[in-house]
mmCIF file of all heavy atoms in Angstrom:
data_model
loop_
_atom_site.group_PDB
_atom_site.id
_atom_site.type_symbol
_atom_site.label_atom_id
_atom_site.label_comp_id
_atom_site.label_asym_id
_atom_site.label_seq_id
_atom_site.Cartn_x
_atom_site.Cartn_y
_atom_site.Cartn_z
ATOM 1 N N GLY A 322 95.977 18.102 7.624
ATOM 2 C CA GLY A 322 95.046 17.147 8.250
ATOM 3 C C GLY A 322 94.323 17.808 9.480
ATOM 4 O O GLY A 322 94.976 18.603 10.255
ATOM 5 N N HIS A 323 93.124 17.343 9.810
ATOM 6 C CA HIS A 323 92.491 17.627 11.093
ATOM 7 C C HIS A 323 92.119 19.138 11.130
ATOM 8 O O HIS A 323 91.872 19.754 10.152
ATOM 9 C CB HIS A 323 93.344 17.192 12.180
ATOM 10 C CG HIS A 323 93.720 15.674 11.995
ATOM 11 N ND1 HIS A 323 92.944 14.603 12.213
ATOM 12 C CD2 HIS A 323 94.857 15.217 11.591
ATOM 13 C CE1 HIS A 323 93.559 13.540 11.888
ATOM 14 N NE2 HIS A 323 94.703 13.900 11.463
ATOM 15 N N GLY A 329 93.445 15.902 15.930
ATOM 16 C CA GLY A 329 94.204 14.768 15.392
ATOM 17 C C GLY A 329 95.013 14.039 16.494
ATOM 18 O O GLY A 329 94.503 14.001 17.600
ATOM 19 N N ASN A 330 96.213 13.645 16.183
ATOM 20 C CA ASN A 330 96.993 12.940 17.276
ATOM 21 C C ASN A 330 97.418 14.003 18.171
ATOM 22 O O ASN A 330 97.872 15.132 17.790
ATOM 23 C CB ASN A 330 98.105 12.200 16.658
ATOM 24 C CG ASN A 330 97.701 11.016 15.915
ATOM 25 O OD1 ASN A 330 96.931 10.255 16.354
ATOM 26 N ND2 ASN A 330 98.258 10.886 14.697
ATOM 27 N N GLU A 337 98.569 17.540 16.575
ATOM 28 C CA GLU A 337 98.855 17.363 15.184
ATOM 29 C C GLU A 337 98.260 18.450 14.343
ATOM 30 O O GLU A 337 98.932 19.103 13.402
ATOM 31 C CB GLU A 337 98.271 15.983 14.741
ATOM 32 C CG GLU A 337 98.424 15.677 13.203
ATOM 33 C CD GLU A 337 97.746 14.407 12.836
ATOM 34 O OE1 GLU A 337 97.093 13.782 13.749
ATOM 35 O OE2 GLU A 337 97.836 14.020 11.621
ATOM 36 N N LEU A 430 99.098 16.623 4.869
ATOM 37 C CA LEU A 430 100.051 16.562 5.768
ATOM 38 C C LEU A 430 99.521 16.117 7.056
ATOM 39 O O LEU A 430 98.451 16.637 7.577
ATOM 40 C CB LEU A 430 100.612 18.045 5.885
ATOM 41 C CG LEU A 430 101.204 18.563 4.600
ATOM 42 C CD1 LEU A 430 101.621 20.020 4.766
ATOM 43 C CD2 LEU A 430 102.445 17.642 4.214
ATOM 44 N N HIS A 431 100.181 15.143 7.746
ATOM 45 C CA HIS A 431 99.788 14.631 9.001
ATOM 46 C C HIS A 431 101.049 14.454 9.904
ATOM 47 O O HIS A 431 102.183 14.536 9.434
ATOM 48 C CB HIS A 431 98.993 13.358 8.813
ATOM 49 C CG HIS A 431 97.665 13.417 8.263
ATOM 50 N ND1 HIS A 431 96.524 13.389 8.900
ATOM 51 C CD2 HIS A 431 97.278 13.805 6.941
ATOM 52 C CE1 HIS A 431 95.472 13.576 8.061
ATOM 53 N NE2 HIS A 431 95.911 13.846 6.938
ATOM 54 N N ALA A 432 100.824 14.172 11.198
ATOM 55 C CA ALA A 432 101.820 13.693 12.090
ATOM 56 C C ALA A 432 101.291 12.468 12.750
ATOM 57 O O ALA A 432 100.187 12.482 13.320
ATOM 58 C CB ALA A 432 102.242 14.837 13.031
ATOM 59 N N ASP A 433 102.083 11.373 12.985
ATOM 60 C CA ASP A 433 101.655 10.071 13.310
ATOM 61 C C ASP A 433 101.796 9.984 14.879
ATOM 62 O O ASP A 433 102.368 10.776 15.477
ATOM 63 C CB ASP A 433 102.456 9.002 12.689
ATOM 64 C CG ASP A 433 101.511 8.008 11.929
ATOM 65 O OD1 ASP A 433 100.418 7.858 12.507
ATOM 66 O OD2 ASP A 433 102.006 7.467 11.001
ATOM 67 N N LEU A 540 99.795 11.046 1.162
ATOM 68 C CA LEU A 540 99.635 11.520 2.516
ATOM 69 C C LEU A 540 101.027 11.392 3.217
ATOM 70 O O LEU A 540 101.692 10.308 3.281
ATOM 71 C CB LEU A 540 98.543 10.639 3.270
ATOM 72 C CG LEU A 540 98.027 11.040 4.521
ATOM 73 C CD1 LEU A 540 96.649 10.574 4.849
ATOM 74 C CD2 LEU A 540 98.952 10.653 5.678
ATOM 75 N N GLU A 542 103.044 11.543 6.571
ATOM 76 C CA GLU A 542 103.179 11.612 8.027
ATOM 77 C C GLU A 542 104.492 12.202 8.326
ATOM 78 O O GLU A 542 105.553 11.567 8.109
ATOM 79 C CB GLU A 542 102.949 10.174 8.682
ATOM 80 C CG GLU A 542 101.667 9.471 8.398
ATOM 81 C CD GLU A 542 100.556 10.012 9.329
ATOM 82 O OE1 GLU A 542 100.705 10.917 10.065
ATOM 83 O OE2 GLU A 542 99.373 9.543 9.132
HETATM 84 ZN ZN1 ZN B 1 96.518 12.784 11.023
#
Side-chain angles (χ1 to χ4, degrees):
H323 315 279
N330 291 312
E337 178 184 0
L430 301 174
H431 290 255
D433 233 332
L540 189 155
E542 299 279 4

